[in-house]
Amino acid sequence: MTLQKIWLKYRVFQAVVFLGFGLLLTIALSLSFGAVPMSAAQLWQAFLHRGDAVNQTIFWELRLPRVAAALTVSAALGMSESLLQGLLRNCLADPFVLGISAGAGLVAITMLTLGIFQTWVPLAAWIGAILTSMLVYFLGKTKTGISVERLVLAGVAVSYLGAIQTTLLLLAEDSRLQAALNWLIGSLNGRGWSDLQVAAPSTRTNQTCRNSRQQISQQQPQIYRNYRSHWRTNPSQFGKNHRIETEFSGRCVGISRPNNAKIAAAWN
């Protein structure tokens, strides 16, 4: 058997091994590097709930939730694109080409820039995606059935709804503009285990991670948890509230002021 035949026979296995190794390497680098770099030994100790308590908090509360959220969302996006390509039998089909993302984004950006019903933005974006899909389906329908070519062309035409998004962003206030851009582009900043309850297909992983979080919180004083919550929701205020910093540094045993800056830098 020649080398070429061996390569063709096991190419799927080789691709899986190569991509799996790349994924593991990427996860390791994402967990190690940041505002507070961690060595392989420190990373392993934090994974086992050992060593420095600050490193454990950074690992379990900051970096690992973001990595898990990135993996979950990217897997969902890849699955949706694969389903569309298999359904339409067109390798160019995806939510962006078919205009589905444009419809969802238009509804979300409208609500965010106008400041109305912001709590319902995810549900409204989903409804916008459904309505856009129905519109594209109607435009791609013929007397004999669904034409894949017309469906793709209709999606490309509907995707120009993005021009309305640009107009709304130009007219929006600065405070609402940043929120709209974060929603439109996407961001992993500030993502925690609770966000996986929406994105993950199962809550079993969330329950395991929640138990790990409870184990860490039991090892820390109450003042530390209050301080951590305060700087997570208000990272820009670090260094401006001297009373909280003094109370934290004076009452938390084993955690000094440099570690306060270490935690705050990791959250930013």
Side-chain angles (χ1 to χ4, degrees):
M1 184 178 293
T2 61
L3 183 61
Q4 183 178 3
K5 292 182 178 180
I6 297 177
W7 172 264
L8 294 177
K9 184 178 180 180
Y10 299 101
R11 59 182 179 180
V12 177
F13 174 75
Q14 294 173 0
V16 171
V17 172
F18 178 77
L19 293 177
F21 176 78
L23 179 61
L24 293 177
L25 180 62
T26 303
I27 293 175
L29 293 177
S30 301
L31 295 174
S32 301
F33 292 97
V36 181
M38 298 172 60
S39 63
Q42 292 175 334
L43 196 66
W44 180 250
Q45 288 182 347
F47 176 76
L48 297 177
H49 301 287
R50 300 175 181 175
D52 190 0
V54 177
N55 289 338
Q56 295 183 39
T57 303
I58 294 174
F59 178 85
W60 287 103
E61 293 292 321
L62 302 179
R63 295 182 181 175
L64 191 58
R66 295 177 183 178
V67 172
L71 293 176
T72 304
V73 173
S74 59
L77 292 175
M79 181 180 64
S80 65
E81 186 169 347
S82 299
L83 289 175
L84 286 175
Q85 292 178 358
L87 179 64
L88 301 178
R89 296 183 180 181
N90 191 318
C91 60
L92 296 178
D94 63 17
F96 297 96
V97 173
L98 295 180
I100 300 175
S101 298
L106 177 60
V107 176
I109 295 304
T110 301
M111 297 177 67
L112 289 173
T113 53
L114 297 180
I116 56 175
F117 305 110
Q118 298 190 18
T119 307
W120 300 95
V121 168
L123 178 61
W126 179 76
I127 295 176
I130 296 298
L131 295 178
T132 306
S133 302
M134 295 174 60
L135 176 61
V136 172
Y137 178 84
F138 176 77
L139 294 176
K141 189 176 181 180
T142 61
K143 295 182 179 180
T144 58
I146 297 297
S147 173
V148 177
E149 290 79 9
R150 289 189 59 176
L151 197 67
V152 174
L153 291 176
V156 173
V158 172
S159 64
Y160 280 95
L161 291 173
I164 304 178
Q165 297 181 19
T166 304
T167 303
L168 291 174
L169 292 175
L170 291 175
L171 298 177
E173 300 178 359
D174 293 339
S175 58
R176 297 175 180 175
L177 177 62
Q178 188 61 41
L181 289 177
N182 287 337
W183 201 98
L184 187 63
I185 300 175
S187 175
L188 296 174
N189 186 29
R191 298 298 174 228
W193 295 118
S194 59
D195 297 299
L196 288 178
Q197 295 179 358
V198 180
S202 174
T203 59
R204 181 175 301 178
T205 302
N206 299 332
Q207 183 64 36
T208 303
C209 297
R210 198 179 300 115
N211 294 337
S212 300
R213 180 174 58 185
Q214 292 175 356
Q215 181 179 355
I216 294 177
S217 63
Q218 292 174 358
Q219 299 175 0
Q220 311 299 327
Q222 180 65 34
I223 179 89
Y224 173 65
R225 293 198 299 270
N226 295 338
Y227 182 84
R228 175 166 53 87
S229 176
H230 174 78
W231 294 128
R232 185 172 185 177
T233 56
N234 303 279
S236 61
Q237 298 297 317
F238 181 80
K240 297 181 180 180
N241 196 327
H242 180 72
R243 183 183 62 81
I244 296 179
E245 285 190 331
T246 303
E247 183 182 11
F248 179 80
S249 300
R251 293 179 57 183
C252 286
V253 179
I255 300 182
S256 59
R257 187 174 297 273
N259 284 333
N260 300 354
K262 184 179 181 182
I263 297 175
W267 267 309
N268 286 332

